[in-house]
């Protein structure tokens, strides 16, 4: 099977990193097209041997990108097009239809009120639904996202849940990596380090973590990532008098910056205070590193069956300003001291190899095969290996609809009949 993945951009981000990891475990011939920004992840994909092309799209209204992409699909002889992120889904599904090629789209970042960190508008939703019907299937990265798609009016039969995945072994705690990362980042070897990883945007509420650490004189803060809030967060740390206890690592793995497993090894407790998430990949990675986790919205944890909540994961309940609650939780962690936890058994649900197999089932369905079995988390049969011996545990800019697309009509799937599944193995 030959698949073309189309993504809005390839800068460092959760969806972009997930695509790179997935292609390492997907038994298909895959090329990638990025509409914009062939950044660090594009370089990584090329290092992995993946062919990456830059479409050179100049903005939301660069409608010439659609026929250019359709020609690329047609001339490349692809069996399937797989799109990722809003702009790529809108343009990619349209281009695939023009090329006569079935398409699948993954919805990575649909929140209740935001999509990819930007406010949802009626026009955004209308354009999404009008182009969604052009594909063969839509993949949701969590049961929460699947429910949001159904609430929008996407028929259940077109939605398939394929959770994001990780390679848990890559995050296994290593003391040597911890010491090296702390030395590189200027963190004292004996410091108690609170950490966070992600794009520095308002919805992630990193400001609450800065405020909490400011109230804990014995704690340091390590933030890994970049984004429009970076300057404001630095200014907040300076205003609160804690700039000397806060380290901004920048984008993980870029230049001399340590990668995600290294920054997680340097931490003692992980915080993700996000107002809303579509999955919560950083939380899953932190749990794989054996870290206690304090989190806001996190479908990867919330969608698990009752009784399977990971040990060491604490949910923040404040809907508006979690700083006071977060301070109290971190104060208890600080009093107990550093510890590493066993990797939760629940992470078996999020093995990248399982994600690859589930996605191949969706591909087969899009090409005329039977519908894949629904994703239902069940109790893992084999415990995961511990990350390390555990210490004793103390008690895109908003999309602007163009005249190319008429106002949304009542939903009715219009995908053409899929070609025979035999085409996938030519």
């Amino acid at each position: 099977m030959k698949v073309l993945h189309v993504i809005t951009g390839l800068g460092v981000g959760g969806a972009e990193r997930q695509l790179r990891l997935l292609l390492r475990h997907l038994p298909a011939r895959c090329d990638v097209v990025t509409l914009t920004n062939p950044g660090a992840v594009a370089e990584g994909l090329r290092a992995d041997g993946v062919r990456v092309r830059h479409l050179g799209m100049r903005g939301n209204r660069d409608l010439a990108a659609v026929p250019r992409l359709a020609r690329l699909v047609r001339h490349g002889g692809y069996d399937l097009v797989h799109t990722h992120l809003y702009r790529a889904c809108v343009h990619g599904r349209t281009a695939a239809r023009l090329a006569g090629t079935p398409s699948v789209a993954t919805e990575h970042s649909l929140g209740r009120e935001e999509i990819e960190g930007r406010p949802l508008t009626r026009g955004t939703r209308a354009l999404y639904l009008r182009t969604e019907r052009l594909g063969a299937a839509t993949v949701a990265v969590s049961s929460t996202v699947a429910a949001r798609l159904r609430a929008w009016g996407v028929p259940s039969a077109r939605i398939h849940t394929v959770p994001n995945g990780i390679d848990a072994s890559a995050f296994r705690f290593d003391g040597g990596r911890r010491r090296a990362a702390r030395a590189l980042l200027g963190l004292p070897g004996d410091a108690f380090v609170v950490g966070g990883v992600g794009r520095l945007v308002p919805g992630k509420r990193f400001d609450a973590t800065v405020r909490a650490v400011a109230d804990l004189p014995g704690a340091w803060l390590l933030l890994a990532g970049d984004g429009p809030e970076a300057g404001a967060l630095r200014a907040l740390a300076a205003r609160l008098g804690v700039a000397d206890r806060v380290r901004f690592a920048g984008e993980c793995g870029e230049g001399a910056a340590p990668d995600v497993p290294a920054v997680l090894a340097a931490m003692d407790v992980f915080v993700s205070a996000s107002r809303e998430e579509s999955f919560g990949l950083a939380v899953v990675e932190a749990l794989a590193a054996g870290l206690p986790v304090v989190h806001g919205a996190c479908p990867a944890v919330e969608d698990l069956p009752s009784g399977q909540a990971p040990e060491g994961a604490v949910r923040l309940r404040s809907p508006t300003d979690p700083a006071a609650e977060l301070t109290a939780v971190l104060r208890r962690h600080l009093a107990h001291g550093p510890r590493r936890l066993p990797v939760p058994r629940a992470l078996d649900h999020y093995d990248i190899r399982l994600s690859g197999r589930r996605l191949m089932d969706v591909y087969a369905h899009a090409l005329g095969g039977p519908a894949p079995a629904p994703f239902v988390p069940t109790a893992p049969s084999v415990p995961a290996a511990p990350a390390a011996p555990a210490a004793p545990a103390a008690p895109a800019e908003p999309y602007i609809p163009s005249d190319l697309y008429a106002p949304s009509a009542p939903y009715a799937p219009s995908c053409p009949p899929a070609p025979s599944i035999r085409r996938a193995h030519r």
Side-chain angles (χ1 to χ4, degrees):
M1 183 185 298
K2 189 177 182 183
V3 181
L4 179 65
H5 292 264
V6 181
I7 190 165
T8 299
L10 284 172
V12 177
E16 296 84 355
R17 288 175 50 224
Q18 182 68 190
L19 175 60
R20 183 184 177 190
L21 181 60
L22 183 65
L23 293 192
R24 294 174 178 172
H25 298 274
L26 205 59
R29 295 167 55 201
C30 296
D31 295 337
V32 175
V33 166
T34 179
L35 302 185
T36 63
N37 186 24
V41 178
E43 296 172 11
L45 284 165
R46 291 188 179 109
D48 294 343
V50 177
R51 184 181 185 186
V52 179
R53 298 184 183 183
H54 179 206
L55 198 65
M57 187 174 177
R58 295 185 297 276
N60 289 338
R61 295 187 181 277
D62 182 9
L63 301 183
V66 174
R68 289 204 307 274
L69 183 56
R71 287 193 295 272
L72 194 155
V73 173
R74 192 179 301 115
H75 296 158
Y78 296 101
D79 299 293
L80 190 75
V81 173
H82 186 167
T83 63
H84 307 263
L85 299 176
Y86 183 87
R87 191 188 302 186
C89 287
V90 167
H91 286 295
R93 284 186 286 217
T94 305
R97 168 59 74 87
L98 291 173
T101 302
S103 67
V104 167
T106 290
E107 183 45 64
H108 291 271
S109 304
L110 178 62
R112 291 185 301 272
E113 300 175 356
E114 298 179 345
I115 188 165
E116 296 171 26
R118 299 181 177 90
L120 279 168
T121 65
R122 293 177 64 183
T124 298
R125 176 175 169 173
L127 184 56
Y128 184 98
L129 290 173
R130 188 162 186 84
T131 56
E132 194 279 337
R133 73 186 71 176
L134 300 178
T138 294
V139 171
V141 298
S142 67
S143 299
T144 294
V145 169
R148 289 169 183 164
L149 288 167
R150 288 193 294 271
W152 270 27
V154 179
S156 294
R158 293 176 54 80
I159 302 169
H160 306 277
T161 302
V162 179
N164 283 331
I166 67 167
D167 179 358
S169 64
F171 297 92
R172 187 172 294 120
F173 178 74
D174 178 89
R177 182 158 57 186
R178 175 185 178 89
R179 290 187 292 274
R182 286 195 168 202
L184 179 63
L185 296 166
L187 292 165
D190 60 350
F192 185 89
V193 178
V194 177
V197 176
R199 185 157 167 75
L200 305 184
V201 294
K204 299 290 187 181
R205 300 198 295 191
F206 285 115
D207 60 310
T209 311
V210 175
R211 294 179 189 279
V213 169
D215 286 336
L216 300 169
W220 291 62
L221 175 60
L222 170 58
L223 293 180
D226 202 359
E229 285 288 290
L233 291 170
R234 290 178 185 273
L236 176 62
R239 190 163 64 250
L240 296 175
V242 293
D244 59 332
R245 291 193 283 122
V246 178
R247 295 290 182 269
F248 290 87
E251 293 287 12
C252 291
E254 283 199 2
D259 60 12
V260 175
V263 297
L264 292 176
M267 298 173 187
D268 295 304
V269 61
F270 184 87
V271 175
S272 173
S274 295
R275 183 169 53 246
E276 68 175 20
E277 290 279 358
S278 56
F279 182 75
L281 187 62
V283 168
V284 175
E285 292 172 343
L287 290 167
L291 284 168
V293 167
V294 187
H295 67 89
C298 183
V301 173
E302 295 154 14
D303 291 349
L304 292 170
S306 178
Q308 290 194 37
E311 179 189 357
V314 175
R315 172 76 188 269
L316 294 170
R317 300 296 175 181
S318 173
T320 53
D321 183 6
E325 182 185 2
L326 179 57
T327 301
V329 175
L330 292 178
R331 183 173 284 115
R332 292 196 293 270
H333 280 291
L334 180 60
H336 295 156
R339 58 174 175 152
R340 232 62 187 189
L341 302 172
V343 177
R345 293 179 61 191
L347 263 60
D348 287 359
H349 299 307
Y350 304 130
D351 186 311
I352 189 63
R353 289 162 284 272
L354 292 178
S355 300
R357 290 199 288 271
R358 291 188 184 106
L359 190 57
M360 290 301 295
D361 289 343
V362 176
Y363 286 177
H365 176 56
L367 294 173
F375 169 72
V376 180
T378 56
S381 58
V382 180
E397 70 192 277
Y399 202 98
I400 303 171
S402 129
D403 292 339
L404 178 67
Y405 304 104
S408 180
Y411 195 96
S414 60
C415 181
S420 167
I421 188 66
R422 288 192 297 271
R423 182 182 177 209
H425 304 288
R426 68 185 181 200

